[in-house]
Each structure stands twice: as C-alpha cells, then as structure tokens.
Amino acid sequence: MAKRKVDTENRGFQTRWESEYMFTKVAGKPVCLLCGESVAVLKEYNLRRHYETKHADKNKNMDMEQRLQKAEELKRGLKSRQALFKKAKSQGQAAVKASFILAEEIAKSARPFTEGDFIKNCMIKVCDEVCPEKRQLFLNVSLSRNTIAERVDQLSINLKEQLVKKGKDFIAYSLAVDESTDISDIAQLSIFIRGVDSNLSVTEEFLALRPMHGTTTGHDLYEEVSRCVNEMELPWEKLVGLTTDGAPAMCGHRSGLVAKIREKMQEENATGELTAYHCIIHQEALCGKALKMEHVMSIITRTVNFIRAKGLNHRQFKAFLTELETEHGDLPYHTEVRWLSQGKVLQRCFELREEICLFLDSKGKDTTQLRDEMFLCEMAFLCDITSHLNAINLQLQGRDRVISDMYSTVKAFKTKLTLWETQMRKENLSHFPSCQTMKEKLSTSAFPSTQLADKIGMLAADFRRRFADFEAQKSRLELLGNPFAVDVESSPPNLQMELIDLQCNDALRAKYAAVGAAEFARFLPGTMPQLRIQAAQTLSMFGSTYLCEQLFSLMNLNKTSHRSRLTAEHLHSILRISSAQSLTPNIDELVEKMGHHQVSNK
C-alpha cells in the first residue's frame, strides 16, 4: 500500500480552533498563540493534544466568549510583532540595496572607495535638516571603504555571471584585443566580446582586463586570451573573428596571437576559419602619415610650443588676440596619441596665421617660413585633408558598430579620394575651403594643385593597401549590407537557393527598406538557416578596437598616481561595471542572496 502524503489531503484550518485550542494559521502552518510553537501536520488531533498537554490548566476556567476575546487579543499581538519584524527586515534590505546602488555609482564615476564615507556624512547632514526622525535609517546604510569594495566586487561577479549565461546562447562570437600600459608601467591586456544568439541579438561587452607583469609576446597574449575564453565557457568552434591593433605580437604569422588562436581552433577541430582584422580606426590614422607632410606639422608644432610652453608667452598671446578682437582666443595643444587634435591645431593655426606672425615678430622670432606662400598652401591642404580624415575617424568610432557599415564608410572615403584627386588636378577646390582661401590670396606663384593631387593619390593608394584584407571579405560584408543587391551566381552554393527566395520576397524587401541592414537580419525567417548563420557571423565581428581604447581611458581615470596601488581585482571589477552596456547588475538578487544586513555604527 502506498504511503499517504498529508500535503495532498487538502486539510483546511478551521476558525473554531482559534478559540478551542488557541491556534492560528501562519504561512500555511498552525501556530500556537500562547507559546508560539508550530505543529507539523494540520490535524485537529495534533492541535488538541498540544493544547491539553501544555495549556489546558491555565485556561480551564474561561468560557467560550472569554476564549474568543483572548484569541483575538493574542492574534493582534502576533500581527503587531510580525509587522515590526517585516518593517525591520524591509529597512535592513533597503539599507543594503542603497549601499549597492551607491557602490555602482562610485565605480561608474571613477571615485575612490573612500568616497562612500564622504557621501554618508553628506546624507546624514541633509537628513538632520530635512527629516531628523529618519536619521537611524541613514546611519544603517554601510558605506565604509571595505563595504564599497566588497559591493563593487559583488556587482562585477553578478555581471560576469549574466555574461556567462548569455554566452551559452551564442551561435557566433568575436573578440577585440588590445594592449596598453597603466600608470604603474604594468602591461594591461583588454579583451571585449561581441556575441550573437539564435535570435540574432547582439551582445557587446567587456570580457576581461588581464595584467601582464612579465613579457608580452604572442604566446603570453595567447595564454591570457585562452584562459579567459575557457573561464567564460565559450566554445572555440563558435569563434569567428579577432580584431587587434596590428602589433607584431598580435599578428605575427608564426608566433603571434592570431596564429596561436588558429592553431588552438585546429586542435579543437573547429570547422570555421578565424577572420583576423587590423583595427579600421587605427589603420585610417596610419594612412594619414602617407601624405609625408611632417615638415609642415613640425613647424606648426614648434610654433605652438613656443607660445604655449612658457606661461608668460601664453598670457601675452591671449591678451594680444583679445586686443585684436579675433574670433578665437587661444591655440590648442597637439599630441600624437590623440589623433583628432592635429586637425584642431591646424585649423586654428591657419585661421590665426597672420596674428601668430605678428606676435612672433614682436618677440623677435623669424617668421619667414610661416609667411612663405608654398608653406601656407601646404598648410591649407593639410588642414583640409586632416579635417576630412577626422570626419571619417569620428564616423568609425562608437559602440555597436556593424562591420559592414564601417566597411561602407571606408569604401565611400576611397571613392571621395578619387574624386578629390581629379578635382585638385583641375584646381577645383570645392571640398578644400582652406586651399580655396589661399588660392585667392596668392600674389605671384601659382597654386600647386598637381603636387597636392599627387599627395591625394598617395593617400588613396595607402588606403587600398591597408584595407586589402577587408576587400578580401567584400562579398561577405555586402551580403549583410545589402543582400538584395548580391549576385547570386557568385555567392557560395549553400546560400544561393536562400538568396533567390530572399530577393524574390517583396515583404522582406519592404522590411529591409524600413529597418535598415543592421536590424534586418533579425527578420530573416527560419526557412533561411544558412543566411541567418552567415548574418550572425558577420554581425559578431568587431571592425575596430575602439572599445579597448575607451576602456584604457577609463583605466587611466581610475588608476591614477593617487590610486596607483589599486589592486588588479578591484580595477577589473570597476571597469566591468563602468563599461557595461547591455547588462545591468541585478541588485535585488544580490540583496536577496545576502539574506541579512550589517548595520553600520559609523
């Protein structure tokens, strides 16, 4: 005979038991109102036996009405105690949640952990003025340095757990890897992941920051990346692309990171081939050096340094510009690391060229070079072409950039270069306003249009050379960019039938026109599995290491000369929180896990 299960017998609590046995029901269990003990099984016999054994003598002289009154009185007392307990628990959880929220804000704002004490002091002072009766609630919020550090680590772990969970659904993913040095001269390896799930939703998140205390060879980089991929439980066969800064340790044919990862994928019997890219933004910046106009930039830099390096010269120059009532009141600095600064310096120097010469004359400096018409023409050209290069640089920056769109931007710029070269040879300066200004002001010599057109030709040739690896992937990128314009016959055989179905579907064509290339992939039907896989792989690819560069900026904001002893673990946690994009820490879950709170006495 099967064993009886009392929880399936639907036994209900009867109201009369409250007055007869002094019991009430709390959270589904019968609880004695007199002693607080609970009975395991909801059965009248058990309640009666408990009452007669432990409480019958105390209440034997009470009639039924007195019993009812006492039962109600005891129930009110129980509810009051429960409410007090719930309030205390609620207040405690609120204090813990507040500490998590503030820890997240401290991490995002690159503030030191000790900032929590300052915030708490401010909160208490405000409380004393606004709501002094709630002072204890604010005191209960623990914001000590150790608490903030602990909360930041917990938030980071929560984000990592979410990413690991998402990673299990990826059907394709790519990595962006870059290396830099922090304030303590420790090499830091930044790794980002861009994964695509079966719904073709893209997740682009920080994967890890690995400190490298020894050498930074290709093997060292591979060991760190491999360890990171394995820790996140990511399958090697789903790795599609790897984007780096193009350094030899990254791209070496035999012992570079790319070569090592390809070897690893072969060991894992991965069927797909790894596509390696050199950061588009980095290559675009390198292309600018093909102009070979360092002689112009060196004179500009030397002039700016003379004005800006000494405080007296700088103050006198600003006062001089104020007297002349010029549009601009100062000159910016230029640094080689910040690529966009060159364009701003050139533009300002060109606009203030006459004022700069007057100021240098007053200081007894030779301005022959700065007044030379050929130099001014080259300066005007460099100003205009750098402005165009900066414009494309800004277009390529940002998060969630689709590689096919970035390729289209570069492709368009190459076409523009061809047009500009042709127009320059004809002295058509429509797209070169500074050159147009100089041409109008030339006194004797002719504008060197042929020489400058050759410079544009050199720049175009360097673009073609540097972006040859993207040209090799042209058909793959165009398949995502505009699948309706792809030549079916030249496409891979496994995609041809699905491409014909797609290009003949008017509803999907209308959807493509409405949502654009990046979003359209999600609307590919399940009947086109090969196209969906192809789209997922392309969507997962990084076009640049922009996110890594952005992370290094965050790293330098956090690990300064004043916080140089910040541990690698805490720095990693801070950066995971501050760089999170599609993921947010589940603070309610963290509070629930803690189960209890610690009240701060500070």
Side-chain angles (χ1 to χ4, degrees), residues 310-553:
K310 292 185 178 180
L312 178 61
N313 285 349
H314 190 201
R315 290 193 299 273
Q316 289 175 340
F317 180 70
K318 289 198 290 184
F320 180 68
L321 294 179
T322 304
E323 287 176 21
L324 294 177
E325 296 182 349
T326 57
E327 183 182 348
H328 305 293
D330 201 359
L331 278 176
Y333 259 132
H334 162 56
T335 172
E336 201 61 35
V337 177
R338 300 189 178 188
W339 304 322
L340 299 181
S341 66
Q342 180 176 325
K344 294 176 182 176
V345 172
L346 282 166
Q347 186 69 39
R348 189 68 57 85
C349 284
F350 181 76
E351 291 171 355
L352 294 173
R353 60 192 180 281
E354 294 176 6
E355 289 83 359
I356 290 171
C357 287
L358 289 173
F359 180 75
L360 293 177
D361 286 340
S362 70
K363 289 288 183 178
K365 289 287 183 180
D366 182 21
T367 58
T368 307
Q369 283 182 310
L370 290 172
R371 294 182 188 277
D372 180 72
E373 289 185 342
M374 180 59 72
F375 171 79
L376 289 172
C377 288
E378 289 183 326
M379 178 182 171
F381 170 74
L382 190 58
C383 178
D384 288 334
I385 199 69
T386 303
S387 175
H388 290 310
L389 286 168
N390 283 356
I392 183 181
N393 193 294
L394 287 170
Q395 282 182 276
L396 295 171
Q397 290 183 23
R399 296 191 72 121
D400 298 318
R401 299 304 310 272
V402 180
I403 194 169
S404 57
D405 291 343
M406 297 177 78
Y407 167 74
S408 298
T409 301
V410 173
K411 184 180 175 183
F413 191 77
K414 288 193 287 187
T415 306
K416 290 176 185 176
L417 285 172
T418 304
L419 173 67
W420 293 338
E421 183 182 359
T422 304
Q423 289 181 335
M424 182 63 77
R425 293 193 187 280
K426 297 177 182 179
E427 293 195 13
N428 178 353
L429 305 176
S430 305
H431 304 288
F432 291 80
S434 300
C435 289
Q436 184 69 46
T437 302
M438 278 310 305
K439 184 183 176 184
E440 292 169 0
K441 292 190 176 183
L442 283 177
S443 55
T444 54
S445 60
F447 187 79
S449 55
T450 303
Q451 181 185 338
L452 298 180
D454 290 340
K455 295 281 186 186
I456 297 175
M458 290 166 58
L459 182 60
D462 205 50
F463 259 83
R464 286 192 294 271
R465 180 178 65 83
R466 289 192 176 276
F467 290 98
D469 54 345
F470 283 91
E471 284 297 322
Q473 298 289 329
K474 180 180 176 181
S475 58
R476 184 179 195 175
L477 298 174
E478 287 181 345
L479 190 62
L480 178 67
N482 188 358
F484 294 95
V486 172
D487 179 36
V488 175
E489 204 170 328
S490 61
S491 300
N494 65 319
L495 299 177
Q496 289 176 346
M497 296 301 100
E498 292 181 12
L499 267 175
I500 292 172
D501 291 339
L502 175 68
Q503 293 178 358
C504 295
N505 190 313
D506 292 335
L508 288 176
R509 188 181 291 272
K511 178 62 72 174
Y512 174 82
V515 301
E519 293 294 321
F520 175 70
R522 297 184 188 178
F523 297 95
L524 288 171
T527 54
M528 301 178 182
Q530 295 300 319
L531 280 177
R532 286 179 67 85
I533 291 171
Q534 187 73 26
Q537 291 177 346
T538 308
L539 280 172
S540 74
M541 290 183 186
F542 282 102
S544 74
T545 57
Y546 170 82
L547 293 179
C548 297
E549 297 289 350
Q550 191 180 51
L551 189 85
F552 291 139
S553 297

Side-chain angles (χ1 to χ4, degrees), residues 249-263:
M250 297 281 187
C251 301
H253 291 296
R254 292 183 179 179
S255 56
L257 173 64
V258 175
K260 292 286 184 184
I261 288 183
R262 281 178 173 152
E263 287 177 14

Side-chain angles (χ1 to χ4, degrees), residues 203-220:
T203 299
E204 190 177 77
E205 287 293 338
F206 168 70
L207 199 60
L209 182 75
R210 299 287 190 179
M212 305 186 71
H213 298 279
T215 57
T216 55
T217 63
H219 179 74
D220 298 324

